[in-house]
Structures are given as C-alpha cells and as structure tokens.
Amino acid sequence: QVQLRESGGGLVQAGGSLSLSCALSGDNFSPKHMGWFRQAPGKERELVAAISDAGWTIRYGNSMKDRFTISRDHAENTVILQMKNLILEDTAVYYCALDASAGLRTVAADHEFWGQGTQVTVSS
C-alpha cells in the first residue's frame, strides 16, 4: 500500500523560509513522478512543483519557480520542497502526490496517490 507522509509545515512570518518533506513508502512500481500541490480555503488545488522519477525534469506552477525548489532523495525515498520569501498568499495546505504514469504531469487529477497534507501558514 502506497503511503505519502508530509512533514515540515507550520507557522512562518512573511519573508521567511520553510522546507517540506514527503516520505514515500509501500511503493513497488515505476515510474514514480512526484508533485507538490497546495490548496487554500475556497480555492482549487494548484500545482506548486513536480519532479520526474529520475529527477531530471522539473515543472513549476505559475509564479512558483522564483521562490520554490523541488528536489528528491532517492536513497531516502523523499521529495523536498524548499520555500523562501514566503508571502501571505502562500498560506495553504500543501500536499504531496505521486503519479505513476509514463510522463510527468502537472494536473492534480492525474495523480493517483496523495498524502494527508501539511498546513503552511504565513503571518504578517
């Protein structure tokens, strides 16, 4: 059974930084493209960043590339999202997701497995 477990969320002041981690377990298939999505109250779930199975291809959501960095550690089976210069609008629940299709996709509905999410709150 595939399990995705996010950690690292919390409260941070505007302008600060935060790092989220997603631990993947129970997987026995390939490929495993991974993505970070976020959902703010009353808004649709949106892509933050996605990374291919080998880590060679990365996609960022709109206006995400300058302040967010996605990476993966195959030895630890984790995916990291580093966030800097956080703004109030970054407040959301951040989800880790897995896409087992052949190509890297950036739409939330295309991801088969999801973590429970971790809350990120940016304060002024």
Side-chain angles (χ1 to χ4, degrees):
Q1 181 178 356
V2 174
Q3 288 190 332
L4 302 172
R5 180 165 295 180
E6 304 96 338
S7 62
L11 178 65
V12 62
Q13 284 191 327
S17 301
L18 208 58
S19 182
L20 306 181
S21 180
C22 174
L24 171 64
S25 63
D27 61 297
N28 57 359
F29 49 84
S30 179
K32 296 184 285 292
H33 307 305
M34 302 294 296
W36 281 99
F37 292 80
R38 70 184 186 184
Q39 188 165 19
K43 295 189 177 181
E44 293 186 354
R45 193 166 296 191
E46 63 175 345
L47 173 74
V48 177
I51 187 167
S52 64
D53 183 63
W56 294 340
T57 304
I58 291 174
R59 298 283 185 265
Y60 288 96
N62 293 333
S63 303
M64 303 288 184
K65 188 174 183 179
D66 290 341
R67 299 184 297 113
F68 294 82
T69 303
I70 190 172
S71 61
R72 66 189 305 165
D73 183 334
H74 288 92
E76 297 293 329
N77 225 8
T78 59
V79 179
I80 306 297
L81 181 69
Q82 295 176 301
M83 307 182 291
K84 66 179 181 180
N85 297 330
L86 288 164
I87 59 177
L88 299 180
E89 291 75 14
D90 293 322
T91 295
V93 178
Y94 285 70
Y95 297 92
C96 177
L98 185 151
D99 177 12
S101 67
L104 182 64
R105 298 186 290 186
T106 58
V107 176
D110 292 331
H111 290 66
E112 295 92 341
F113 301 97
W114 291 83
Q116 293 297 311
T118 185
Q119 176 71 46
V120 172
T121 302
V122 183
S123 65
S124 59

